[in-house]
Amino acid sequence: MNEKTIRILEYNKIIDKLVSLTASTLGADLARQLVPDNDIEKVKINLKETSDGVNFISRRGSPPLGGIHDIRDSVRRAEIGSMLNPGELMRIANVLRAVRNLKNYSNSANVKEGEDNIVGELIECLEAAKRIEDKINLCIVSEEEISDNASPALGSIRRQIRHAQNSIKDKLNELIRSPKYQKYMQEPIVTMRGERYVIPVKQEYRTEVPGLIHDSSASGATLFIEPMAVVEANNAIRELKIKEEAEIERILRELSCDVAEIAVELNTNINLLAKLDFIFAKAKLSLEYNCVCPKLNNEGKIIIKKGRHPLLVPKTVVPIDFWIGEDFHTLVVTGPNTGGKTVTLKTVGLFTLMAQAGLHIPAGEGTVLSVFNKVFADIGDEQSIEQSLSTFSSHMKNIVNILENIDDRSLVLFDELGAGTDPTEGAALAMAILEHLKERGCTVVATTHYSQLKVYAVTTPYVENACCEFDVETLKPTYKLLIGVPGRSNAFAISKRLGLTDSVIERAKSYLTSEEIKFEDMLLNIEKNLNQSENEKLQAQLLKQEAEKIKSEMENEKRKLEEKKEKILREAREEARKLLLNAKHEADNILSEMRRIQKERENIQSQKAAEEMRLKLKSNIDTIEDALSKSVMPKNTLVKPPKNLKPGDSVLIVNLNQRGTVITPPDRDGEAIVQVGIMKINVHITNLKLVDEQKEQIYKTGVGEISVSKAKNISSEIDVRGMPLDDALEAIDKYLDDVVISGLPEICIIHGKGTGILRNGIHQYLKSNKRVSSYRLGKYGEGEDGVTIVQLK
């Protein structure tokens, strides 16, 4: 694409906005490289990427893109056997976490199986490595610190170091507090110099404290001496430190080897994450500007519905309707200054560039754009004092360059074509340029003030007029584009509104030719007729919407009546079925009694007749029951009958969608008595479904999920340094709630030393807290008086 056109149409500002919506430097680099493409198939794929990204965000919300880093150099170093530092390993773990989070995000995005979704396919290609991710997180605490849990050997070494350090400190504390040495001390403290424990001794008592001098104060009044009693212990600590460094190096090398094993997957992940970040940035841009995906063609056809220039203030921008490429390929736009002509040009040009770059455009559904080989624009004042070029010369130089590079699939945008010179010659040049571009098959939109171009557009095939509407009553433009209507000059109307006398206006009109007056009158009539048509069209649309609303309400009422009717019939059939069942039981009892009596009388023939009567009655009752049962319980409500129903089981009555409890198990006819609220009803077993209350309760409360979530995310320490006491206590109280849920047995509260107000207040709070078993100040290596270690119940 022409660089000058990209700059004039402010495409770079859209790219800057896109870059700001990316979550990583990798995605930002891809966004900066985004340029319009002229291959329609590639453009379609790029637009589908954006649409699929919008689909994902609409279904699941913003994607979890945190933790994406450019780790390619680190992976390359790991492949050649270099040892990675803790910071590099942490960034690799963050990338693996981002991969895992995106895969979980995709699984919960409700993407239908078999659905063609580019974003889903890219996420599917990501390779998670949770074992290595967890291993790195277990071993590395920060960019400067390796965890004690990184290996048993490292934990043992560090415990030995802490034990040796505490032993040395105890010895030195005894020494500086002893009456013999107190007067020799500058201060009764134990400090370190060169990783060795020393005590500050006054210079004049140097010989009284045998040991090694490691440093002195700036004035020389204080010497920092390592007493001979702790030299061996300090040496032992130094040896342990060397072992610690060696073990840390071994751990880092092992982790680096693990990274090297998945180098291919990591490099693939980085490329995929960059692409996904870029696609989601395009999707966010689409959602922020309320965009749509345009339909594409390569025939020069453009239809913009309610298009809004993305760089204008959304509350004030006036949407435009624009079309070109069917009945005409050249559009001449006229109208007053500041009426919206230039904005129309820039909107058409910028929409074309955005669509060809794979970006959605801020317009209405049904918008159609063409893919052009080249887009050219001559917009704005290009006057250059340094080059001694006038406005006309500068524009003409640009036009010459455009005419030399066009082809039959070019979009050309001219602002004030032919301006800056004699009106007659300028208009003639403008018509010649437009005619040349029309012959070359270009799609052209040009703005002008020349009346000659209005006539040219009216009289020339495949050329159409358009104007930016102007309200003479308010003397303000409406910024509405009217295609098919040449713009009127409005000079006389505006002058009259501003107070110019009628005599002067009439004299001015006398200088016009009759053809010019007729032409302006014709434009006035066209504009009036168009406005009337627009008003009638708007009224027709409102009436149509009202009719559709009434139709929808009627259909809803009809549906409700049908549902009510079905409910009444269902209840009636249920009641009839209950009466029938009662009658059946009564008939069975009567017939059984008759058979018993007949049997007693030993009248075999009567017994046989009674049995036939009973069987016939039962057959008739069963037939009626089947018919009622089908009406009461349609096929779509029947379920597989639950087995072994017993009193106390929780069930769902399917056709009534009501919960109940079994009182009496099903009888030989499959009828069970179910308690629903205060009512007891007979329900057939085919209309019952067992309910697992324990699973449902866990599902409703989400206790298991909350506990797992808390256990994964909760830290074992909280830092309240610098907070006011009330804020600190509130934060600790909320933190204790989370800790109790997660099941941590011990936590650390970091409050600092300071004046002690924060520490004392926290201790008072912990003393009365029912969740706290015990608490203590930190030991050496834990933070000492600056932290409190809390044991939880």
Side-chain angles (χ1 to χ4, degrees):
M1 283 293 169
N2 184 279
E3 287 294 329
K4 188 174 183 180
T5 298
I6 286 177
R7 176 176 55 81
I8 289 173
L9 295 177
E10 300 179 286
Y11 172 79
N12 291 330
K13 292 184 178 179
I14 299 298
I15 294 301
D16 290 342
K17 179 64 178 177
L18 182 64
V19 169
S20 71
L21 294 173
T22 58
S24 68
T25 56
L26 295 166
D29 289 342
L30 290 180
R32 291 190 188 94
Q33 297 166 15
L34 181 63
V35 293
D37 202 311
N38 55 17
D39 185 332
I40 189 169
E41 295 305 320
K42 289 183 180 178
V43 173
K44 286 180 178 178
I45 292 171
N46 293 337
L47 282 172
K48 188 177 186 309
E49 285 180 354
T50 309
S51 298
D52 291 347
V54 170
N55 230 352
F56 257 81
I57 294 176
S58 299
R59 289 175 174 178
R60 192 66 182 86
S62 295
L65 296 172
I68 300 177
H69 305 285
D70 187 356
I71 59 171
R72 288 173 293 192
D73 287 341
S74 300
V75 174
R76 194 178 303 114
R77 289 179 56 242
E79 282 186 289
I80 62 175
S82 297
M83 183 183 74
L84 303 182
N85 61 47
E88 290 176 299
L89 290 167
M90 281 190 71
R91 285 188 285 276
I92 290 170
N94 287 339
V95 168
L96 291 173
R97 187 184 73 249
V99 167
R100 184 166 47 81
N101 288 340
L102 273 171
K103 292 184 83 70
N104 292 337
Y105 169 79
S106 176
N107 292 337
S108 60
N110 298 324
V111 178
K112 296 177 183 177
E113 188 174 349
E115 182 179 343
D116 181 19
N117 189 294
I118 295 173
V119 174
E121 292 171 4
L122 290 175
I123 295 177
E124 187 67 27
C125 292
L126 290 170
E127 293 288 340
K130 193 164 190 311
R131 182 187 67 81
I132 295 177
E133 177 195 345
D134 290 343
K135 188 175 179 181
I136 293 173
N137 289 330
L138 176 68
C139 295
I140 298 175
V141 177
S142 68
E143 295 192 4
E144 295 83 21
E145 185 180 355
I146 305 297
S147 172
D148 291 357
N149 300 321
S151 74
L154 182 62
S156 175
I157 291 169
R158 286 183 171 172
R159 282 192 296 273
Q160 292 178 53
I161 290 173
R162 286 193 290 269
H163 178 74
Q165 287 173 336
N166 290 335
S167 177
I168 290 175
K169 288 172 68 178
D170 290 341
K171 286 182 180 179
L172 293 178
N173 282 325
E174 286 179 12
L175 189 147
I176 62 178
R177 291 190 182 117
S178 67
K180 178 180 177 181
Y181 289 98
Q182 273 186 350
K183 62 180 179 179
Y184 306 146
M185 300 295 107
Q186 191 71 266
E187 287 183 84
I189 60 171
V190 176
T191 185
M192 294 189 76
R193 288 293 186 274
E195 296 188 359
R196 299 180 78 88
Y197 286 95
V198 296
I199 56 176
V201 179
K202 295 176 182 178
Q203 195 276 340
E204 58 267 28
Y205 297 113
R206 156 70 189 94
T207 58
E208 302 298 329
V209 181
L212 304 176
I213 300 174
H214 286 278
D215 199 2
S216 65
S217 64
S219 64
T222 304
L223 299 177
F224 294 94
I225 297 176
E226 179 185 6
M228 294 304 295
V230 297
V231 169
E232 286 302 319
N234 269 327
N235 290 339
I237 290 176
R238 181 59 189 154
E239 290 175 3
L240 289 170
K241 288 280 188 182
I242 293 171
K243 289 183 181 179
E244 179 189 27
E245 290 171 4
E247 179 63 14
I248 288 173
E249 183 175 339
R250 186 196 67 77
I251 292 167
L252 293 178
R253 286 196 177 280
E254 182 180 321
L255 292 174
S256 300
C257 290
D258 290 338
V259 170
E261 289 176 4
I262 59 168
V264 175
E265 291 87 344
L266 285 172
N267 284 322
T268 302
N269 284 344
I270 280 299
N271 293 331
L272 291 172
L273 289 171
K275 182 70 172 176
L276 287 166
D277 185 16
F278 168 63
I279 291 173
F280 280 123
K282 293 196 296 179
K284 291 173 187 174
L285 185 76
S286 174
L287 292 167
E288 183 170 333
Y289 286 142
N290 193 22
C291 297
V292 298
C293 180
K295 296 179 181 177
L296 295 179
N297 67 88
N298 54 8
E299 302 163 359
K301 180 180 176 182
I302 300 175
I303 302 173
I304 297 175
K305 296 185 177 182
K306 304 298 179 186
R308 308 172 305 279
H309 195 288
L311 300 179
L312 297 179
V313 180
K315 292 183 179 179
T316 60
V317 63
V318 177
I320 63 165
D321 291 318
F322 179 93
W323 63 92
I324 194 172
E326 287 188 328
D327 300 328
F328 56 91
H329 297 277
T330 301
L331 186 67
V332 177
V333 185
T334 52
N337 289 329
T338 71
K341 301 192 303 297
T342 303
V343 171
T344 298
L345 283 182
K346 288 190 173 183
T347 300
V348 174
L350 184 57
F351 278 14
T352 300
L353 296 182
M354 288 175 66
Q356 291 187 210
L359 300 175
H360 289 177
I361 60 169
E365 291 291 344
T367 294
V368 178
L369 291 174
S370 176
V371 175
F372 294 98
N373 285 339
K374 301 174 183 178
V375 178
F376 298 99
D378 180 56
I379 301 173
D381 188 0
E382 297 291 332
Q383 185 172 359
S384 172
I385 297 174
E386 293 180 3
Q387 298 177 7
S388 301
L389 295 176
S390 66
T391 300
F392 176 77
S393 300
S394 179
H395 280 292
M396 191 51 61
K397 184 178 180 181
N398 195 26
I399 291 170
V400 169
N401 180 62
I402 291 172
L403 296 180
E404 289 176 349
N405 291 283
I406 57 168
D407 60 17
D408 59 349
R409 285 185 56 201
S410 294
L411 172 65
V412 185
L413 307 171
F414 289 127
D415 191 23
E416 300 297 347
L417 181 60
T421 186
D422 178 76
T424 304
E425 294 182 354
L429 272 173
M431 286 187 284
I433 291 168
L434 292 178
E435 192 67 22
H436 176 73
L437 292 171
K438 183 166 74 73
E439 291 173 355
R440 292 291 302 273
C442 299
T443 300
V444 185
V445 184
T447 68
T448 183
H449 281 294
Y450 296 143
S451 297
Q452 294 93 322
L453 288 181
K454 301 177 191 177
V455 178
Y456 166 77
V458 170
T459 57
T460 306
Y462 305 110
V463 183
E464 186 58 272
N465 270 303
C467 70
C468 289
E469 191 178 47
F470 187 87
D471 190 340
V472 178
E473 296 297 322
T474 61
L475 301 180
K476 292 181 180 180
T478 64
Y479 303 104
K480 184 179 179 182
L481 184 69
L482 304 176
I483 294 181
V485 181
R488 294 190 298 128
S489 67
N490 294 311
F492 294 151
I494 293 171
S495 300
K496 185 173 183 179
R497 287 283 299 168
L498 293 175
L500 191 64
T501 60
D502 291 342
S503 59
V504 174
I505 293 172
E506 290 301 321
R507 180 170 293 181
K509 286 182 178 180
S510 67
Y511 295 132
L512 297 175
T513 63
S514 59
E515 288 79 9
E516 290 171 334
I517 295 173
K518 288 178 181 179
F519 185 70
E520 286 294 322
D521 290 342
M522 178 189 71
L523 295 182
L524 177 62
N525 290 331
I526 291 173
E527 190 172 330
K528 285 182 178 178
N529 291 335
L530 184 64
N531 286 335
Q532 185 177 353
S533 299
E534 287 291 327
N535 291 334
E536 290 174 355
K537 180 181 177 182
L538 180 61
Q539 189 174 2
Q541 288 177 343
L542 292 174
L543 290 172
K544 181 182 177 182
Q545 291 174 0
E546 186 68 24
E548 289 177 349
K549 182 180 178 182
I550 293 171
K551 180 184 176 183
S552 176
E553 290 175 353
M554 292 292 291
E555 287 177 349
N556 286 335
E557 287 297 323
K558 182 180 178 182
R559 178 178 53 79
K560 289 178 181 177
L561 286 173
E562 288 293 332
E563 290 175 353
K564 190 174 182 180
K565 174 185 174 184
E566 183 61 31
K567 182 180 179 182
I568 293 171
L569 288 173
R570 187 167 60 247
E571 290 174 350
R573 288 166 184 158
E574 181 69 28
E575 184 64 27
R577 188 167 176 272
K578 289 178 183 177
L579 293 173
L580 178 63
L581 289 171
N582 291 334
K584 178 183 175 183
H585 288 303
E586 188 67 25
D588 282 342
N589 292 335
I590 293 172
L591 289 172
S592 296
E593 183 66 18
M594 288 173 61
R595 194 167 80 173
R596 186 185 62 79
I597 295 171
Q598 292 295 337
K599 188 175 181 181
E600 289 177 355
R601 294 178 181 176
E602 296 183 349
N603 188 336
I604 297 175
Q605 184 146 2
S606 298
Q607 184 178 352
K608 184 177 180 182
E611 181 65 19
E612 287 176 355
M613 184 186 299
R614 189 188 73 80
L615 291 173
K616 184 177 180 181
L617 179 60
K618 184 177 184 300
S619 175
N620 291 338
I621 290 174
D622 287 344
T623 302
I624 298 170
E625 181 188 4
D626 289 341
L628 286 173
S629 179
K630 288 178 183 177
S631 299
V632 174
M633 294 176 293
K635 289 182 180 180
N636 59 353
T637 64
L638 294 179
V639 296
K640 187 177 180 180
K643 297 180 179 179
N644 301 323
L645 270 182
K646 56 185 181 298
D649 284 347
S650 293
V651 292
L652 175 70
I653 303 175
V654 178
N655 66 326
L656 301 179
N657 195 26
Q658 293 289 326
R659 290 276 301 276
T661 304
V662 175
I663 302 298
T664 303
D667 57 17
R668 63 182 180 179
D669 297 316
E671 292 287 329
I673 298 177
V674 179
Q675 178 92 37
V676 181
I678 61 172
M679 297 177 59
K680 294 181 182 178
I681 58 175
N682 289 338
V683 186
H684 197 266
I685 191 172
T686 57
N687 200 24
L688 295 178
K689 184 177 180 182
L690 269 173
V691 177
D692 189 335
E693 291 188 328
Q694 184 177 4
K695 287 185 180 178
E696 189 174 35
Q697 185 63 24
I698 292 174
Y699 174 79
K700 286 181 178 178
T701 59
V703 171
E705 184 176 338
I706 292 172
S707 297
V708 171
S709 174
K710 293 291 183 185
K712 284 183 178 178
N713 300 316
I714 196 71
S715 171
S716 62
E717 63 181 33
I718 179 172
D719 191 345
V720 295
R721 287 177 293 181
M723 290 186 184
L725 180 57
D726 290 342
D727 292 348
L729 293 180
E730 183 178 351
I732 292 170
D733 190 69
K734 292 179 181 177
Y735 173 67
L736 285 176
D737 289 339
D738 294 341
V739 168
V740 169
I741 292 174
S742 67
L744 286 180
E746 182 183 277
I747 61 167
C748 175
I749 301 175
I750 304 171
H751 44 64
K753 297 179 180 179
T755 61
I757 294 175
L758 191 59
R759 179 179 64 244
N760 294 336
I762 291 171
H763 286 183
Q764 284 295 118
Y765 166 81
L766 295 174
K767 189 182 297 182
S768 59
N769 195 297
K770 296 180 180 179
R771 294 167 289 191
V772 176
S773 174
S774 63
Y775 62 90
R776 62 175 173 81
L777 289 173
K779 296 179 181 178
Y780 182 81
E782 293 179 331
E784 301 180 342
D785 295 346
V787 304
T788 295
I789 308 299
V790 182
Q791 295 289 335
L792 298 170
K793 293 181 179 178

